Amino acid sequence: MKSWKPISFRCPSKRPTEISRLERCCFAAVLVLGASITTHAKDASLTAVVLFDVPQGAAYIQITEAVLNGKIEVRSCDGVSRLDKNSYNALPRASLAGASSLQRGADGVLTLTTNGKSVCVVPSNLKFERSAELTPAEAAEQALIRGTPVSSSPRDATIPAFKPGVQLVFLAAPDAELADFLRAQRANTVRDWEDFLTRYPSSARRASAQEAIAGFHQRAAEAAFAQYQSSRGAKTEDVAMLRQACLEAQTASQSSPGYKPAARLMDEIGRELDNLARPDQTRLQAYRKALQDHRPGYSQLSAAKLHVERLLEVRPDYDPLLSLQREIAAEQRKLDTTIVNAQVFLVESRYDHAVSSLGPYVAFASEMPRLDAVLNAAFKHHYESGQKLAARQEWKKAVLEFGKAAAIRPDRKDVQAAADNAAAQIETQRNQQAANTAVLESDEYARKNQMVEAYNVLADLPEKPRAMVRSQLAALSQNYIGAAVQRAQKIQESHVPIKNPTDENAALEAYVLWDRASSLGDDPAITLKRDFLSAKISAYYLDQANRYLQKASGSGTVVGWLYLKQAVRYGITNLDSLKDEMARYEPLYQRRSQLSVGIVFRDQTSRRDSHGFADQLADAITSGLDSCGMPIAVVRNSSEVEEAQPANFTLVGQVLEHRMVKNATLDAPESKYRAGAHETKNPAWLKIESDYESAQHQLGSAQQALTDAQAQHKKKQVIADANDAVQQAQKSVDELRHKLETTEQSRVETVVESYHYTKKTIDLTASAKIEFQFRDRAGNFVGQPADVHKEKHSTTVVFENVKADDTEGITNQGVEPDGAQFLTDLEIDSRNALVQAVRERAAELPATVLQAARTLAQQGDSDGAAELYVLYLNATPQGASPGRDEAVKFLRDQFTLAVSTDAKL
């Protein structure tokens, strides 16, 4: 076959009509030569590596019989900015055979490189249907690569469109190693060079590539770590850079086993992670404290969770971080489980259960939409139910529903307004019913000419129902005045001066008659008679007060002070002196009429183990009782106890156990680590090399035999057999050469040695046992002793002195626990449990007081019983209750004291 050279012809930039005869002749000659070149092109076969980019990086496909638009030639377009069909046909041809590469640049123009020289080209077989003229970049859009794929990376790659950036590198023959090298060279990344080494482990470039890769990663790691360190003074550290440093250091270590700079950097990164995780440990404790205190704090857990996850991105196998993450996850699971249970209750329409099941997590509603949605659903149910009940005027049920809604959303003023309106409607109904009943009774008395009773039954109504009968009262007022004056005068004549309770009750009845008659009329005489009687009543109560206040040891102070209070109510001429007397006895009255508790705590343990713990418990109980909602005065100071009235009850407590035991055991387990590495020849490669040399020798012998047969003009069959032998030998050589090239020539063997690391097991055990019991003023114990017993145990395993190159998966992990903090945590739990237990027992003290009052009343000690009944009234919530009703009745019946269940005394 003849050797052909590409023919180039430069077409001047002239219109077709201006082409001279000589030029047309030259053009014709070019066409003839071009036809010859085309004929040769059909016989030629090009091998090319097509390099291009995919989302994963650089890629290639190696093809034979490569053509561009069906040809192995292009048109040269140097100096041409635009071309039409005629000028395009005049462009000189250039063959791809002999060229080194064809590339489409970022500007879209095709560039052909031959012998180091690059020229602008456009593809053959251009179409001009849509545009009269094309730029070289627009012409390149029509370029289409075709060929037979031989190999590719990735394997499923197909011949790409000839877009900007795509390059064809022409080869003499298919060469997979060179193709992969070109791809790695195009990518120029560590990953791609590592991929090249994986494919061709026997490459001469292997050792230097490994060293370069390790150095590249180490430099990248150090640069990233330096950038991270520079950010430590900023508001937030650049954790992404720390992660990058860790990844690069790990990769450097993997690229070159035993690479000490990478190991040192990994230790530094571990210390940085410990420092960064400390705020998350604080956040976790803050979350637990917020949950305990029933206040918002979920953001602390959420922030810790997110931050620890970020830190684990730096080093996912770092055990201290994993341990902290497990603690956070456990808290999150408990919260999620609680919310799921509440959501189940919602599905079952058990709204109250849903809200109550949330427990202390309710405080996180403002921070958690899922939790807030549970409250919203329950709130909506109760609010809408209340509205429906209100529309049907079922006010009692409506109040209950509005109350539940308001408890869920106390900030909703409209709900509270709806509840108040429903309550007002109930009250209006009750008031109207009371007014109607009173009017009927009043009419009945009026028919019997009992005008005082007729008026009183209306006037004695509470304020709101009394306002509903205002007209009836006005109609009865004149008749009432006359009847009241007449009756009051008669009573006063019989019972003044006041000598006994019978006279007292009659005088009080007469006072009411005089007072009401005075308020309805304008007769000064009636007012004068009322004031005269009032002074007599006040003097009587003053006498009673003095009698009790003068009793020994202040035993009559409570009753005497209440009598003084009634004397002030009726006092006219001596009001100032009565008030002075009340002020004089008020401190003693307050001490005797208010529930008080003394606290005595003793430490029965070694003071060395629990110094100050008993005082801490006493302080906690004092604070707990002060905030429990009950009116309890706590007495701590001994001098105060001696000077003042002794406390009604004394809490006697003792610390029976309070200690922390720490046991640590040390072990030295054995492990293994990479002490170094060395290269050895691969036995498999040596075997293949020997087989390859034998195959080459056999090929040489077969080729010599074929040459001799041809030279001696032997029979065709002999020559054919010799040719088959050469081909078979050549095939064997090619296969062994490929096998030799793809087999690792040498391999790195790791030197593994044994060593011992430190395993420390720390067992912490803490326990506290506290006992307490209330004692009354007489020294008698009240109820059974109560005890609080708390225990806490923890086992921590710490691995130390673990080598960075450990091959058994052992790493430095764990932190030795703080024994003092461990004991402090137990003390906090014990104090909280003790305060709760004391509050529960303290809530039972008013019942003890009531029972003691009953006992004294049965024994005939009315004065002592009266003091305890007053103490009971001041220790219990205002409002009607069986106990309070009993106390009020006793004080009214036995002492004619004007007390009420709705007020403190």
Side-chain angles (χ1 to χ4, degrees):
M1 184 177 290
K2 296 181 179 180
S3 176
W4 295 88
K5 295 182 178 180
I7 297 176
S8 301
F9 183 80
R10 193 174 194 85
C11 180
S13 302
K14 291 184 179 182
R15 303 292 296 172
T17 56
E18 298 175 357
I19 298 177
S20 65
R21 181 177 299 176
L22 178 59
E23 290 171 334
R24 288 196 297 271
C25 293
C26 293
F27 195 132
V30 169
L31 291 176
V32 173
L33 291 173
S36 299
I37 293 172
T38 303
T39 303
H40 171 71
K42 291 179 180 179
D43 297 332
S45 176
L46 287 180
T47 299
V49 176
V50 184
L51 299 169
F52 56 98
D53 294 319
V54 294
Q56 295 77 17
Y60 83 85
I61 181 168
Q62 187 170 201
I63 58 175
T64 59
E65 301 177 358
V67 293
L68 191 68
N69 285 8
K71 294 184 176 291
I72 62 169
E73 65 180 12
V74 291
R75 302 289 184 101
S76 175
C77 61
D78 263 2
V80 178
S81 60
R82 301 188 70 83
L83 51 96
D84 57 17
K85 187 172 183 179
N86 292 328
S87 59
Y88 168 74
N89 290 332
L91 293 177
R93 294 176 172 84
S95 176
L96 299 179
S100 58
S101 68
L102 177 64
Q103 182 173 358
R104 190 173 181 195
D107 58 358
V109 177
L110 289 173
T111 302
L112 182 68
T113 302
T114 306
N115 297 326
K117 182 180 179 182
S118 300
V119 296
C120 168
V121 296
V122 294
S124 299
N125 295 335
L126 282 184
K127 306 295 182 182
F128 288 86
E129 290 86 349
R130 298 183 180 178
S131 178
E133 292 186 344
L134 295 173
T135 64
E138 291 171 343
E141 288 293 328
Q142 298 186 29
L144 185 64
I145 306 169
R146 288 288 182 266
T148 302
V150 176
S151 63
S152 66
S153 177
R155 291 184 178 181
D156 57 351
T158 58
I159 300 174
F162 210 157
K163 295 181 179 180
V166 176
Q167 181 183 17
L168 276 74
V169 177
F170 301 109
L171 308 179
D175 191 331
E177 180 180 345
L178 179 56
D180 278 317
F181 176 80
L182 291 172
R183 185 194 66 82
Q185 188 179 57
R186 177 184 178 91
N188 196 28
T189 64
V190 173
R191 181 178 63 83
D192 289 282
W193 282 120
E194 288 176 341
D195 181 63
F196 175 76
L197 289 176
T198 300
R199 290 172 177 268
Y200 306 99
S202 301
S203 174
R205 302 180 182 87
R206 180 178 180 277
S208 59
Q210 284 181 327
E211 185 178 349
I213 289 172
F216 178 85
H217 286 297
Q218 183 63 21
R219 287 190 297 273
E222 291 172 352
F225 191 69
Q227 185 171 343
Y228 159 76
Q229 288 179 314
S230 66
S231 73
R232 282 192 296 191
K235 191 172 182 180
T236 56
E237 293 86 356
D238 193 350
V239 178
M241 281 295 100
L242 188 62
R243 176 177 181 270
Q244 184 66 24
C246 183
L247 291 174
E248 294 291 352
Q250 288 175 331
T251 306
S253 181
Q254 294 168 359
S255 300
S256 180
Y259 195 58
K260 293 183 178 179
R264 287 194 295 269
L265 183 57
M266 287 298 292
D267 290 339
E268 284 192 66
I269 291 171
R271 288 190 289 271
E272 287 296 329
L273 290 174
D274 291 338
N275 293 332
L276 291 174
R278 286 193 181 94
D280 298 311
Q281 294 171 335
T282 303
R283 292 187 186 103
L284 178 59
Q285 294 305 319
Y287 163 81
R288 289 170 173 165
K289 186 67 168 59
L291 182 62
Q292 178 182 321
D293 296 343
H294 294 199
R295 56 181 174 80
Y298 174 71
S299 59
Q300 298 287 350
L301 184 69
S302 178
K305 177 176 179 291
L306 293 175
H307 192 241
V308 169
E309 287 175 353
R310 283 192 65 202
L311 297 183
L312 281 171
E313 291 176 2
V314 175
R315 189 171 174 183
D317 61 342
Y318 195 54
D319 190 72
L321 283 180
L322 292 173
S323 177
L324 180 57
Q325 186 188 46
R326 285 192 291 269
E327 287 190 64
I328 294 172
E331 295 291 347
Q332 185 67 53
R333 279 195 302 273
K334 287 191 286 186
L335 174 55
D336 291 339
T337 300
T338 299
I339 294 176
V340 169
N341 291 338
Q343 290 170 337
V344 171
F345 284 132
L346 288 182
V347 173
E348 298 172 350
S349 298
R350 300 166 68 186
Y351 297 97
D352 293 338
H353 286 81
V355 174
S356 62
S357 69
L358 294 175
Y361 294 115
V362 169
F364 300 155
S366 61
E367 304 169 278
M368 295 192 68
R370 287 192 302 145
L371 196 153
D372 193 54
V374 174
L375 297 180
N376 276 337
F379 168 80
K380 181 180 179 183
H381 167 75
H382 288 303
Y383 185 45
E384 292 180 350
S385 297
Q387 289 178 317
K388 293 176 182 177
L389 290 168
R392 297 196 297 266
Q393 296 188 353
E394 297 182 32
W395 301 112
K396 291 184 179 180
K397 294 181 180 179
V399 164
L400 293 176
E401 292 298 321
F402 285 136
K404 291 178 180 179
I408 296 172
R409 296 290 186 216
D411 57 329
R412 286 286 298 270
K413 294 182 179 179
D414 57 330
V415 179
Q416 188 59 51
D420 293 343
N421 177 63
Q425 293 295 335
I426 293 174
E427 185 179 8
T428 300
Q429 288 180 345
R430 289 174 179 169
N431 292 337
Q432 188 63 59
Q433 185 177 1
N436 293 340
T437 302
V439 168
L440 292 175
E441 291 181 14
S442 176
D443 290 345
E444 183 65 24
Y445 282 127
R447 281 194 293 270
K448 296 177 182 179
N449 201 29
Q450 295 176 305
M451 304 312 297
V452 172
E453 288 75 7
Y455 187 89
N456 284 346
V457 76
L458 299 178
D460 291 342
L461 287 170
E463 180 181 356
K464 291 184 179 180
R466 187 169 64 247
M468 297 177 178
V469 296
R470 191 177 291 114
S471 61
Q472 289 88 337
L473 285 170
L476 292 170
S477 60
Q478 290 304 317
N479 292 331
Y480 171 80
I481 292 173
V485 168
Q486 183 179 359
R487 183 180 295 186
Q489 185 68 42
K490 185 176 180 180
I491 294 173
Q492 188 169 334
E493 290 173 355
S494 301
H495 295 284
V496 175
I498 304 171
K499 299 177 181 179
N500 51 52
T502 302
D503 292 338
E504 175 190 354
N505 292 331
L508 290 174
E509 181 185 355
Y511 175 82
V512 172
L513 293 169
W514 286 120
D515 184 58
R516 186 164 287 173
S518 175
S519 65
L520 292 175
D522 54 1
D523 187 349
I526 296 176
T527 303
L528 183 62
K529 291 179 181 180
R530 180 201 64 185
D531 293 345
F532 172 79
L533 181 59
S534 179
K536 294 295 183 179
I537 295 172
S538 178
Y540 171 77
Y541 283 134
L542 179 59
D543 290 341
Q544 295 295 319
N546 289 331
R547 185 165 65 86
Y548 278 96
L549 291 172
Q550 292 171 6
K551 286 191 175 185
S553 302
S555 60
T557 300
V558 173
V559 175
W561 194 84
L562 291 176
Y563 272 130
L564 269 179
K565 191 175 180 182
Q566 295 197 164
V568 168
R569 177 184 174 187
Y570 293 101
I572 300 296
T573 58
N574 60 341
L575 188 60
D576 290 339
S577 63
L578 290 174
K579 289 181 178 180
D580 291 341
E581 197 73 2
M582 282 191 70
R584 174 187 172 190
Y585 286 100
E586 183 173 11
L588 182 57
Y589 167 77
Q590 292 296 339
R591 286 196 293 270
R592 296 191 69 96
S593 66
Q594 299 295 323
L595 187 63
S596 58
V597 173
I599 298 177
V600 178
F601 240 99
R602 302 184 182 91
D603 194 341
Q604 304 294 351
T605 66
S606 169
R607 300 291 291 180
R608 178 179 58 82
D609 292 336
S610 56
H611 179 67
F613 185 49
D615 293 335
Q616 294 176 16
L617 295 176
D619 291 340
I621 291 172
T622 300
S623 177
L625 290 177
D626 286 341
S627 60
C628 71
M630 290 182 61
I632 298 178
V634 180
V635 181
R636 287 286 306 280
N637 192 294
S638 59
S639 61
E640 178 184 344
V641 173
E642 294 173 0
E643 179 182 342
Q645 180 70 21
N648 305 119
F649 298 94
T650 301
L651 186 149
V652 180
Q654 51 187 346
V655 180
L656 302 178
E657 184 179 326
H658 175 241
R659 63 192 178 91
M660 191 274 293
V661 178
K662 180 178 180 180
N663 294 318
T665 58
L666 293 178
D667 295 316
E670 182 178 337
S671 187
K672 297 179 180 179
Y673 77 105
R674 290 186 294 272
H678 65 273
E679 287 192 357
T680 59
K681 286 291 185 180
N682 186 355
W685 185 88
L686 293 173
K687 175 66 169 61
I688 297 170
E689 183 187 36
S690 175
D691 294 342
Y692 177 66
E693 290 176 354
S694 298
Q696 284 183 315
H697 180 72
Q698 292 176 2
L699 176 60
S701 298
Q703 290 173 335
Q704 184 62 46
L706 176 60
T707 301
D708 292 344
Q710 291 174 338
Q712 296 173 9
H713 303 289
K714 292 190 176 182
K715 294 181 179 181
K716 291 182 179 180
Q717 184 60 42
V718 174
I719 295 174
D721 291 343
N723 187 53
D724 291 343
V726 169
Q727 291 181 355
Q728 186 64 34
Q730 182 65 54
K731 182 178 179 182
S732 178
V733 168
D734 292 343
E735 290 176 350
L736 287 170
R737 181 173 62 246
H738 176 73
K739 193 173 182 180
L740 188 66
E741 291 172 348
T742 55
T743 301
E744 187 176 5
Q745 181 177 357
S746 59
R747 61 187 181 187
V748 177
E749 291 186 352
T750 302
V751 178
V752 178
E753 295 182 359
S754 298
Y755 80 103
H756 293 273
Y757 63 93
T758 302
K759 178 183 177 183
K760 186 184 295 184
T761 304
I762 303 103
D763 280 312
L764 289 178
T765 301
S767 61
K769 187 174 182 180
I770 308 157
E771 185 180 82
F772 73 91
Q773 190 172 12
F774 282 101
R775 188 173 59 192
D776 63 19
R777 191 177 290 169
N780 301 315
F781 284 105
V782 177
Q784 296 298 318
D787 66 86
V788 173
H789 191 194
K790 290 288 183 180
E791 290 185 343
K792 191 173 184 180
H793 178 262
S794 172
T795 300
T796 304
V797 178
V798 179
F799 290 166
E800 296 177 339
N801 304 320
V802 178
K803 292 187 178 293
D805 295 321
D806 188 281
T807 60
E808 305 301 307
I810 308 298
T811 59
N812 284 319
Q813 65 180 30
V815 178
E816 187 167 345
D818 185 344
Q821 184 61 47
F822 188 78
L823 183 59
T824 299
D825 293 341
L826 176 75
E827 290 174 349
I828 292 173
D829 293 342
S830 300
R831 285 200 300 269
N832 293 338
L834 176 63
V835 168
Q836 182 62 31
V838 169
R839 282 179 169 180
E840 292 173 357
R841 288 299 180 93
E844 301 171 0
L845 293 179
T848 303
V849 172
L850 180 61
Q851 184 58 45
R854 290 169 178 166
T855 301
L856 292 178
Q858 291 171 358
Q859 294 173 352
D861 186 358
S862 297
D863 293 347
E867 181 172 335
L868 292 181
Y869 275 124
V870 171
L871 182 64
Y872 175 78
L873 288 172
N874 287 332
T876 53
Q878 299 175 20
S881 69
R884 290 180 67 83
D885 291 343
E886 176 186 334
V888 167
K889 184 177 185 303
F890 181 85
L891 294 172
R892 285 179 179 175
D893 293 347
Q894 300 297 322
F895 297 90
T896 326
L897 291 172
V899 294
S900 170
T901 59
D902 295 327
K904 297 289 184 181
L905 302 184

